[in-house]
Amino acid sequence: MAFPERIERFEVAEDGPTFQILIEQAVPSLASEIQGKRVLLLPSHGSDDAFYAGSLDTLDYLNENGLDADLYSTDEEYKELSLHGADLWLGTFILQSIVIPVFCGVISSYIYDKLKAKPDDKISLKFIIEKKDKSSATVSYDGKVEDVEKALNAVKKFADD
């Protein structure tokens, strides 16, 4: 039985949470930990509390490369969701527009250099950008790695908003 080819999904929307909303919704210990962060990894889409396997590696890579990042979870509450298959599931990131130039370079390096992604590999990720006016926009991408630049270029357009 042959499985149908997965269709690429690329979407830009003018909505999403902000850092302030996430801080207000967090338990006090988490709220104080994430206050002032520029990038947060959020639980996997479709889950309120589980992160994709490898999220800690992604977090370490972001921090090692100059981004002040954290998980939107306490250590006690952190759990991973393992998905089997060849797809790369990076999850959901919320970032402030001020870090977009650095973030896009670092996440691109992570995909190609650290994960050793090949052009035909499938990747799924979502970016929530908090703009200077404190509103947010969302860029979602599911498709081939060779086209992930579409999503990163869409994120880069919010650097000056």
Side-chain angles (χ1 to χ4, degrees), residues 124-148:
S124 177
L125 38 74
K126 181 177 182 180
F127 306 107
I128 302 168
I129 301 97
E130 184 178 82
K131 299 185 280 186
K132 291 176 185 169
D133 68 2
K134 300 299 181 195
S135 66
S136 62
T138 303
V139 176
S140 302
Y141 179 77
D142 293 295
K144 291 184 177 183
V145 168
E146 67 188 0
D147 295 323
V148 77

Side-chain angles (χ1 to χ4, degrees), residues 40-117:
L40 293 175
L41 278 78
L42 302 179
S44 306
H45 41 285
S47 170
D48 290 335
D49 61 355
F51 293 81
Y52 288 127
S55 292
L56 292 176
D57 291 336
T58 305
L59 176 68
D60 289 344
Y61 191 86
L62 294 174
N63 283 315
E64 289 166 4
N65 286 278
L67 292 165
D68 191 14
D70 208 341
L71 295 171
Y72 189 69
S73 176
T74 62
D75 290 345
E76 299 79 31
E77 297 290 320
Y78 179 80
K79 59 184 170 185
E80 288 188 348
L81 174 67
S82 292
L83 298 174
H84 301 285
D87 291 356
L88 303 170
W89 300 86
L90 291 188
T92 303
F93 302 84
I94 183 170
L95 55 139
Q96 293 178 341
S97 61
I98 194 167
V99 300
I100 287 174
V102 173
F103 178 83
C104 287
V106 170
I107 204 70
S108 183
S109 293
Y110 183 72
I111 292 166
Y112 291 106
D113 300 339
K114 182 82 169 159
L115 297 178
K116 307 284 188 218

